[in-house]
Amino acid sequence: MKHLPLARLSTLALLAASAAFSTTHAHANTLIYNVNGITIDEEGKVIRFAELVFDDEGIITHVLERAEERPQDIDFAMDGEGQVLLPGMIDAHVHVMDIGFAALTLDLSDTGSLEEALAKIAQFAEDNPGRPWILGRGWNQEKWGLGRFPTAAELDAVVSDRPVWLERADNHANWANSLAMERAGITANTKSPDGGRIIRDENGNPTGVFIDAASSLVAGSVPPPRPEDRDAAFAMAQQKLLANGITAVADMGTPVVDWMTFRRSADRGDLRIRIMAYADSPEAMDLIGGPGPTPWLYEDKLRLNGIKLYVDGALGSRGATLKEPYHDEPTTRGIAITSPAQLRNRMSRAAMDNFQTAIHAIGDAANADVLSAIAELSDTYTGDRRWRIEHAQIVDPADLPRFGEHGTIASMQPLHQTSDMFMAEARLGEERLGGAYAWKSIIEVGGRIAFGSDAPVEPADVFAGMAVAITRTDAQGRPFGGWRAHEAVSREQALAAFTADAAFAGFADGKFGRLVPGERADFILVDRDPLLASPSEIRETKVNEVYLAGTRVFARE
């Protein structure tokens, strides 16, 4: 695209080579023409346009169809060269800092076996002799076909001179070597905390895996990142998100240290995405927000909306709470992280000061409890609450209609469906999958859906998410015809869920998410039309340029 001269940007020295940001400053009344523009109207219908006009503050003033008369006071014009122009994508559920740290530490997400993972761990340790701890994430025993959790002894065989601490792909379990457990004082006498579980052998000895709240037993011994480490990780996270066309995110579980990292970046003029934050605890919510949600800061780039709460764990580690026992482990129904009374107390505490609640619920028992809590509290806390249920993966079909009540929003992640589908069958059995990843059913009962990725649990890849949403198949086209294909959504619904509806879920409607007059000119230029391309072609979408409020913040080299 022909654009304005680039201004030099100061970037962190740690990432100077990788964070190749470039910025084009908007002029008063800028016209971008010769584009195949696509946006979503208030009713969720697609609007196509050919030209877009925005002012010096990056606010859209006109959306023009072909041959429609332009305003007379255009100060600058840019030729879109026939590219497809879409709203900036919004990922409704990510862990921003984890994205950055995952890129700067050991990544096991691409390993296909335990042996491959151990070899990669050994190589990483050899390549980084100065690191006091070997930290990383992304392992998945289900993907490895292991049939069990990995052990500390297996880690000891490749790294025994330094503690090793590795987070599972779903962020709900961790794998330690013996030295890490020794540093944390873990013995056979260590009890599993409420909301967590230590995996043990037949003699009661910890084997190296800690689920949900039990992870804190070792995590407290891991040296915390320095502020400069956090700054570097955030810069990396921004670059990865922008490269995928993502201009705004909901950050789920924001501690105070992360909030301050975002603010440091904004104070330096380096904040290039929009963040709707949800505090990781009532204490963080109070410290950041005080008497209520923060105002929009830094020209609508940062806001604390509310709090992230947890009811259960994840399906892969059998922490998701179920109404009936697990099909493949009948001795358990999951791990309740928050009791029904605790959940209602924390939701009430937030709602009293108008904080929004975003509640993690994966199993059918967890989702039923959250839906009941919403129904109970809605009589007291009236108005526009936009109660969010994060994941909503396994729902009893009898509970699905309740998503159409009280303005409940299901914040769901399409890529979880293809990653989890065969594991879900093993965990639940075929007869209990009636409400599994039920996107279309939730929409049909009047519920509202916002799509995200849960990155770094899944890649922050919106276009792969769209392809899954409309097909229910993975990148290899499996299974043929789609997994429970009747729950696929339309292309228009998928696009809305990653833009306008994701903005609505974070109280950002009217600010950004739709390319309409009065909203921010957050848009991306891509090489194909996701409403016309085949699913496999959608996955290959190239993001050429990204603009935030009319300012270019990413350009593909």
Side-chain angles (χ1 to χ4, degrees):
M1 176 192 217
K2 297 173 184 176
H3 47 72
L4 293 172
L6 299 182
R8 295 175 62 87
L9 287 174
S10 60
T11 58
L12 292 167
L14 281 165
L15 297 172
S18 58
F21 293 116
S22 61
T23 297
T24 303
H25 290 293
H27 282 48
N29 296 324
T30 298
L31 167 74
I32 179 169
Y33 65 96
N34 187 21
V35 295
N36 291 309
I38 301 171
T39 191
I40 302 292
D41 68 11
E42 291 183 355
E43 298 178 354
K45 295 180 180 179
V46 170
I47 296 175
R48 292 185 177 270
F49 60 91
E51 299 180 347
L52 189 73
V53 181
F54 51 90
D55 66 19
D56 204 26
E57 296 181 353
I59 303 295
I60 296 169
T61 60
H62 297 80
V63 179
L64 306 173
E65 296 180 3
R66 297 191 188 282
E68 190 172 353
E69 184 177 355
R70 296 172 178 170
Q72 297 299 310
D73 55 347
I74 299 298
D75 298 289
F76 191 83
M78 296 189 292
D79 183 359
E81 299 179 343
Q83 295 178 89
V84 174
L85 187 153
L86 301 171
M89 297 294 116
I90 302 174
D91 193 315
H93 188 121
V94 302
H95 307 279
V96 172
M97 294 301 295
D98 286 350
I99 295 171
F101 282 122
L104 298 174
T105 56
L106 173 61
D107 180 11
L108 297 174
S109 62
D110 60 349
T111 57
S113 68
L114 174 61
E115 293 73 23
E116 186 181 348
L118 291 172
K120 192 168 184 179
I121 293 164
Q123 187 63 53
F124 185 87
E126 181 180 338
D127 294 342
N128 295 275
R131 298 200 181 200
W133 283 65
I134 301 300
L135 304 175
R137 67 170 318 282
W139 60 272
N140 185 345
Q141 83 282 4
E142 297 294 330
K143 183 178 177 181
W144 296 342
L146 197 59
R148 60 172 175 82
F149 284 116
T151 67
E154 287 160 337
L155 274 181
D156 294 343
V158 294
V159 182
S160 59
D161 63 331
R162 283 173 284 172
V164 181
W165 184 238
L166 305 169
E167 191 169 46
R168 192 179 184 275
D170 61 5
N171 287 4
H172 285 271
N174 284 75
W175 177 21
N177 70 349
S178 295
L179 188 53
M181 291 194 290
E182 180 183 322
R183 293 279 181 89
I186 303 297
T187 69
N189 296 323
T190 304
K191 295 181 179 180
S192 295
D194 291 341
R197 178 186 175 196
I198 301 172
I199 302 300
R200 305 175 189 270
D201 63 19
E202 61 276 8
N203 298 316
N205 296 309
T207 60
V209 169
F210 299 78
I211 297 175
D212 288 318
S215 293
S216 64
L217 298 174
V218 180
S221 298
V222 180
R226 301 167 300 169
E228 53 265 42
D229 297 328
R230 293 185 176 280
D231 292 342
F234 183 48
M236 178 66 78
Q238 287 196 95
Q239 181 69 356
K240 285 186 168 293
L241 291 164
L242 290 169
N244 284 324
I246 296 167
T247 55
V249 297
D251 186 47
M252 287 295 160
T254 309
V256 174
V257 289
D258 289 0
W259 176 262
M260 296 310 298
T261 301
F262 304 154
R263 295 209 61 165
R264 280 197 305 276
S265 177
D267 289 341
R268 291 191 303 266
D270 292 334
L271 182 57
R272 294 178 178 84
I273 60 173
R274 303 191 191 279
I275 300 176
M276 300 165 280
Y278 293 81
D280 71 340
S281 66
E283 294 77 17
M285 181 183 75
D286 288 341
L287 284 169
I288 298 170
T294 68
W296 283 99
L297 306 171
Y298 306 106
E299 298 178 326
D300 298 336
K301 289 182 182 176
L302 181 63
R303 183 180 191 253
L304 179 78
N305 283 355
I307 188 170
K308 167 78 177 296
L309 301 174
Y310 287 85
V311 174
D312 64 349
L315 204 60
S317 51
R318 298 185 184 87
T321 55
L322 304 179
K323 292 185 175 182
E324 300 296 334
Y326 276 80
H327 180 74
D328 58 354
E329 191 174 323
T331 59
T332 184
R333 295 190 184 196
I335 300 172
I337 295 176
T338 305
S339 71
Q342 289 172 327
L343 173 65
R344 285 154 179 78
N345 286 339
R346 291 172 186 173
M347 290 175 68
S348 293
R349 168 67 189 84
M352 281 191 292
D353 289 329
N354 294 312
F355 288 105
Q356 186 185 17
T357 53
I359 307 165
H360 167 115
I362 288 182
D364 55 7
N367 278 285
D369 188 31
V370 177
L371 288 165
S372 293
I374 290 171
E376 294 164 20
L377 295 177
S378 290
D379 289 337
T380 302
Y381 303 107
T382 57
D384 187 7
R385 295 290 171 172
R386 303 189 195 182
W387 311 98
R388 292 178 62 135
I389 300 182
E390 304 301 313
H391 308 306
Q393 289 179 8
I394 308 299
V395 180
D396 185 331
D399 290 325
L400 282 171
R402 301 167 74 188
F403 277 91
E405 303 169 357
H406 310 296
T408 303
I409 295 168
S411 170
M412 306 178 78
Q413 300 76 42
L415 290 178
H416 281 334
Q417 180 254 303
T418 47
S419 293
D420 295 354
M421 55 188 173
F422 302 126
M423 178 264 290
E425 291 174 356
R427 295 287 186 271
L428 298 169
E430 178 65 31
E431 68 280 1
R432 292 162 64 188
L433 294 172
Y437 311 87
W439 313 321
K440 188 174 182 180
S441 290
I442 290 174
I443 292 173
E444 288 180 340
V445 299
R448 196 153 189 165
I449 281 183
F451 277 159
S453 66
D454 202 10
V457 174
E458 302 284 357
D461 188 339
V462 168
F463 294 102
M466 283 188 190
V468 171
I470 65 174
T471 65
R472 309 275 290 194
T473 61
D474 64 16
Q476 289 73 45
R478 299 175 303 181
F480 180 77
W483 190 82
R484 305 190 64 78
H486 61 280
E487 291 292 357
V489 299
S490 69
R491 292 167 185 258
E492 294 79 8
Q493 288 169 330
L495 178 60
F498 274 116
T499 55
D501 290 344
F504 179 88
F507 283 96
D509 47 315
K511 299 281 187 182
F512 52 86
R514 298 186 303 126
L515 297 176
V516 296
E519 292 198 7
R520 296 282 182 180
D522 297 353
F523 60 88
I524 62 177
L525 294 167
V526 300
D527 67 342
R528 65 200 70 191
D529 185 339
L531 301 182
L532 299 177
S534 70
S536 61
E537 290 172 339
I538 293 173
R539 286 179 176 271
E540 299 301 319
T541 300
K542 295 291 188 298
V543 177
N544 295 325
E545 298 183 42
V546 179
Y547 288 76
L548 196 75
T551 296
R552 195 174 77 172
V553 291
F554 172 84
R556 183 170 298 281
E557 293 182 359

